[in-house]
Every structure is written in C-alpha cells, then in structure tokens.
Amino acid sequence: MRAVLSLGSNLGDRLAYLKSVIGFFGPAVVAVSSVYETKPWGVEDQPDFLNAVCIVDDPARDEWAWLRAGQELERRAGRVRELRWGPRTLDVDVVTVDGVRSDDPELLLPHPGTPERASVLIPWLEIDPAAVLPGHGNVRDLLAARPDSDRASVRLLQPFPR
C-alpha cells in the first residue's frame, strides 16, 4: 500500500535520523521532500525540528505495517516518550495510507492535526502537488487556509541528501 509519512527530529544528529528512515525503506521510497526547519509547537521550549515527508509504496505493507515500521525506527533512534509534543530523536507519523480511515486510538488515519501542520503540508505538496488528505480535501487548500505566520515558520533548509 502507498503511504505518506511525516518525519521529524530535534535531538542529536537530526539529519542522520531522517536519513535513517529513507535508508530503511529503500526501494519502497517513491519520493522524498526537501528538508525543512521548523519551530516546535505544543511544547515550545525545545530545539527546532528538521522535517521532511516521504511517499512510500509496498504491496506487502498495510497501514499497521507502516505504523510498526515507523515505531521500530523510532525505537532504534532511542526515542523516549516522556512528554507529549516534547523533544525527540525521531518521529515517524503515518499521515495517510491509500485513503484508509481509522479511528483506532493506536492508529488514527488520517493522522490528526495534519490539516493544521504547515510542517507536513508544505513538504508533502513539494513532492505531490495534487495531494489530497482523505476527509479534509486538497492539501493545497488546507495550506492556503493556514495563517501566513504558520507558512512562514517552515523554512526550506536543503534538498534531501542522498
């Protein structure tokens, strides 16, 4: 199944953690956005994040397999979940999987908060200009609805290193 994954890191070698995800998924990676730097939200007293979005496709993986793979990568990166929206070595969020809807508390799809997160919408649009978030509409329209300050807070850092 095809999935959109949002990647973030604000501790340690942030870029290396993002690269580890792309390396892990290898041939399943269809597209990777540039790397963006963003201010934290929720808990603001922490380092800035590096963010990227990737599109992956693997017929052997369903939404649960994408979630488990992301959790395994976070575990390998030494992620500790002590504070919601707190600092983290690696965050791999499953944004959407082939339009699947899920209200399971362990796997909410599409990922909640996505319509309000310019840090996801901007890199996603970079690699899929026609992107649609199931149940919410065109990603371009969602981004246009965000305040200017939200869009301006997502700073292009560099193309994703290969």
Side-chain angles (χ1 to χ4, degrees), residues 92-137:
V92 180
D93 287 335
V94 179
V95 176
T96 186
V97 179
D98 273 342
V100 172
R101 303 291 297 263
S102 172
D103 60 1
D104 187 300
E106 190 179 355
L107 180 59
L108 297 170
L109 287 175
H111 191 279
T114 298
E116 292 83 37
R117 293 186 184 153
S119 61
V120 175
L121 301 174
I122 289 172
W124 187 6
L125 277 173
E126 177 191 330
I127 57 174
D128 185 0
V132 172
L133 184 64
H136 297 275

Side-chain angles (χ1 to χ4, degrees), residues 4 23 29 31 62 64 70 73 77 101 103 111 113 127 131 140 146:
V4 175
V29 176
D62 66 5
W64 289 99
L73 288 164
R101 303 291 297 263
D103 60 1
H111 191 279
I127 57 174
R140 185 170 308 286
R146 303 303 313 140

Side-chain angles (χ1 to χ4, degrees), residues 1-139:
M1 297 182 88
R2 188 177 184 103
V4 175
L5 306 177
S6 171
L7 317 177
S9 174
N10 75 335
L11 293 177
D13 189 341
R14 302 175 301 166
L15 187 56
Y17 286 126
L18 298 185
K19 287 172 65 175
S20 73
V21 176
I22 303 310
F24 178 84
F25 288 124
V29 176
V30 173
V32 184
S33 74
S34 296
V35 177
Y36 293 81
E37 191 164 42
T38 60
K39 296 282 183 203
W41 62 272
V43 176
E44 296 179 6
D45 184 24
Q46 59 180 312
D48 287 352
F49 279 85
L50 290 188
N51 295 99
V53 167
C54 67
I55 298 172
V56 289
D57 195 353
D58 183 343
R61 286 192 169 107
D62 66 5
E63 65 272 21
W64 289 99
W66 289 119
L67 174 68
R68 298 291 181 245
Q71 290 171 332
E72 173 60 18
L73 288 164
E74 291 173 350
R75 186 194 65 72
R76 289 181 186 185
R79 177 166 178 182
V80 178
R81 296 178 185 266
E82 292 178 345
L83 179 64
R84 185 172 186 184
W85 298 314
R88 60 206 85 151
T89 54
L90 181 62
D91 187 32
V92 180
D93 287 335
V94 179
V95 176
T96 186
V97 179
D98 273 342
V100 172
R101 303 291 297 263
S102 172
D103 60 1
D104 187 300
E106 190 179 355
L107 180 59
L108 297 170
L109 287 175
H111 191 279
T114 298
E116 292 83 37
R117 293 186 184 153
S119 61
V120 175
L121 301 174
I122 289 172
W124 187 6
L125 277 173
E126 177 191 330
I127 57 174
D128 185 0
V132 172
L133 184 64
H136 297 275
N138 186 293
V139 172

